[in-house]
Amino acid sequence: MRISEIEKLSLSPFWLSKLIFHFVEGYGKETPFELTYMLLPLVLRQESREVLSNLNKNSTIYSAFLDHREKRLKISALQHYVESYSKYVNPSIIVYANAGHSFGMRCLKNSNKYDFNKEKSQQTKKFYKAAYYLGVIFSKEKSKDCFYKLGVFKV
Amino acid sequence: MNSYIKKIIIFSAKGEQRELTLTNGLNIISGHSKKGKSALIEIVDYCLCSTVPSIPKGIISDFASLFCIVMKVENNYLVIARPNDETQRSKVYVSLETDKSFLKMFSISYFDDKPLLKIKGAGQESIERFLGLNVLDSNLDDSDRKKGKASLRNMTPFLYQYQNLIASKHALFSKMDDYSKKTSILEQIPIFLGIVDAEYYSLRRQIDEIEKQLKAIDKEKQKEEIFNLQYQSRLEGLCINYFSIVGKELPNFQNVNDLISITKELPSFDQAEPFKSDASRLYSNLRSRLSSKTLELNAVNAELTKIESVSKSAKKTISNLSKLQGRVEHVEEVSCLCPVCGNDVESLSEEASLINNALDSLNTEVGAMANFARFDSEQLETLKRTKREIQKTISELTAQISDLESYNSKVKEYKDKRDSLGYLRAKIEVVVEQISNRIQVSDYGEKEISEELNSLKLLIQKYDFESDLTDCQSKLNGWANSIANALDFEKQFLPAKLNINLRDLSIVHNDKKYGKLRLSDFGSGANWLAFHLAASLGFLRLFSYKENSPVPNFLFIDQPSQVYFPRDFSSHNDDIKKVENIYIQIIKSLKEARKISGSYSQVIVLDHADNLDLKDYKYERYVRAKWFDENDALI
């Protein structure tokens, strides 16, 4: 099995579009599409995914990533990862939109509901949960504050 | 020893000689003053080794070049002569003649071939030896000062009653005012009385020394007891250790000697020594086998680790791939429209087919991995079996080695025991040697010493010092009292009860009314004279009575008549009678003494009195010289 095949499989827009789905689910309202550029590096990278999958409804960006030195290390150089992952974001949004969800006024909105707890694979469930709670903590901030607080200034 | 002065001779440098011949018994030399009467005492004293030249300066000393006395000592004649010469004053001629024939032609030439002896040394010692005074060392260990030899010079107080002493109320004898002289005279009285002699002092010294030794031995014994106790406990401890190592019981013992005899036959360690070289060979063999087996085990373990790490990574890959399988689904080849511009996105269709291919490839991969795992586990099983076998061998080897090691430690222990036994044995030997050395030292021959002491005590018993001295004292006092009672002792004090103490030469009269009266307590010259005559005649008699006494049996009495001041010796007044009585008593006393001792003592009276009526005794018989006329004198 070739590396390119593993890359195709692990970063396929069809798989990533599901993460957007759960992210929007957690956001709870129409979601500014630019936030998905931060979604992929935070959920796909293990160190930040571990943090996100352990959050709850009361968590904030501050309590998740900023109130402790160790937590701040988890998001260091996030700008770099945002740039690296951005090429995978657009196809994912296209697949998301083609799956019947709305992408009007540059906002994303799910057409149906889905609970990540119903996912059978524990591995996959962690991804969905992380994406969901990232949506939860982002939903408590203005979208530009989310970029600002996590040190991302360019998409 | 009976001895008296036979002749007093004075030689001049030209060979002239003046001589006075004396006999035993009473000798009266009568004459006026300045005739040389008192000089006789000084001449005799000078010949008897006086260091102070007391011969009066004048006619006598001008005339004389040699003073000589001839003493009859038992049946021999002792010739003593001392030069008057200033340069030879410290010398003396001493010779003993056994036959009196030498006196016939006696002149100064007699001394031509005689050696001059030093008075302090050979001269005095030869005189003393001839007189029988041979106590050269009267020191006793218990005395605090050196007493030295008994001296002729200490006898002289008993030989002369000087003119100024005969009626003195302060002193009974001469030389008593010098403390050290008095002390040595008092100490030597027993020697002068012949109660003790050189052998006595030698015996006393030996006894004292032996008693000291015995005391020291006693002390030593006490120390020894403590020492023995200490060493016994020490030796006991060592023996107990020794026997416990050997594994036997310490036999019963009573004292340190028992212990020593036990140590002489210490049991040895009878367990045979293990054959050490074989064991060590086996041990090293096992060791090398163990190390090779350990190497094999390490190799197997390394192989196992490799396989396990490969299989682990394979499993990890499988699990990772499986995760991918879980989240990637088969994608239908559908056309995708851009939500922004509405155009068909072709790249996504291609993407979808690529994903499907990759998914197929993933499934194939996972299947292949499962095959690998099976092969892998087979290999693992073989290796693990080998490992178990090696481990079993290793554990067997280890057990054997530990057996050997424990055996070895036993060998070591055995060696330790042997070493410690040797050490203990050496220690015991050292202690035993110390004790036996001590015992050798403590074998002082105490028994022999005690026997010697007993024999010495037997010998010294013949010197019945105390009772002899008491006997002497009572005799002396008896004689002195009989003389004093016959003399002109004051009537109110009669009968005289004189008590002369031989230990301090004090004289007291025990009066009924006044108690003890000393010489100085009396008032009259007659009383003092009576005291002096009684004491000096008493001593003379005592010395002649004691046949071993070395004191010459002569007594000079210078002017006993002085207290009565007889104005006229021709008229027969009371004073003259009293003087006559003195002479009569002297003769009586001498005669009485002869009855007991068998020999006559000599009294030489130098006096002014003449023509005395001595009743039963003829005065002229006793006169040896009369120096009344102008030409009559010693010189």
Side-chain angles (χ1 to χ4, degrees), chain B residues 25-26 479-480 482-484 486-487 533-542 544 555 557 581-597 599-601 603 617:
Chain B
L26 176 64
W479 295 326
S482 71
I483 294 166
L487 288 172
L533 285 175
S536 53
L537 286 169
F539 268 106
L540 181 68
R541 198 166 160 181
L542 185 62
S544 78
L555 172 67
I557 302 172
N581 187 39
I582 292 171
Y583 283 85
I584 291 166
Q585 292 312 320
I586 291 171
I587 295 168
K588 276 186 177 171
S589 163
L590 286 172
K591 284 188 183 296
E592 271 174 36
R594 190 171 66 166
K595 282 180 197 163
I596 302 166
S597 65
S599 63
Y600 243 146
S601 295
V603 174
Y617 312 105

Side-chain angles (χ1 to χ4, degrees), chain B residues 157-159 161 166 172-173 189 192-193 471-484 487 498-500 502 505 507 529-546 549 551-555 557 585-586 588-590 592-593 596-597 601-603:
Chain B
F158 304 106
L159 303 179
Q161 283 289 327
I166 189 84
L172 199 57
F173 297 104
I189 279 179
F192 298 156
L193 288 172
D471 178 49
C472 283
Q473 190 165 312
S474 69
K475 283 213 159 58
L476 173 67
N477 289 330
W479 295 326
N481 280 321
S482 71
I483 294 166
L487 288 172
L498 298 185
N499 187 7
I500 303 169
L502 280 176
L505 287 182
I507 184 165
L529 179 71
F531 264 86
H532 279 266
L533 285 175
S536 53
L537 286 169
F539 268 106
L540 181 68
R541 198 166 160 181
L542 185 62
F543 290 136
S544 78
Y545 167 72
K546 298 298 289 184
S549 168
V551 181
N553 302 122
F554 68 83
L555 172 67
I557 302 172
Q585 292 312 320
I586 291 171
K588 276 186 177 171
S589 163
L590 286 172
E592 271 174 36
I596 302 166
S597 65
S601 295
Q602 184 181 44
V603 174

Side-chain angles (χ1 to χ4, degrees), chain A residues 48-57 59 126 129-130 133:
Chain A
S48 48
R49 181 171 69 240
E50 286 296 324
V51 175
L52 291 171
S53 62
N54 288 322
L55 295 182
N56 55 46
K57 280 184 179 175
S59 302
K126 271 199 170 176
K129 189 182 176 186
Y133 281 108

Side-chain angles (χ1 to χ4, degrees), chain A residues 1 5-6 8-10 12-15 18 91 94-95 97-98 103 123-124 127, chain B residues 323-324 327-329 331 336-337 339-340 348 351-352 354-355 358-359 361-362 365:
Chain A
M1 194 169 180
E5 287 178 337
I6 292 173
K8 283 275 179 249
L9 288 175
S10 48
S12 87
F14 302 98
W15 154 244
K18 288 183 179 170
I94 294 170
V95 174
N98 281 286
F103 182 76
Q123 277 291 323
T124 313
F127 280 89
Chain B
K323 283 175 200 165
L324 276 177
R327 56 187 183 234
V328 180
E329 291 161 355
V331 183
C336 282
L337 298 172
V340 181
L348 268 179
E351 185 87 3
L354 280 176
I355 286 168
L359 193 58
S361 149
L362 175 66
E365 192 83 23

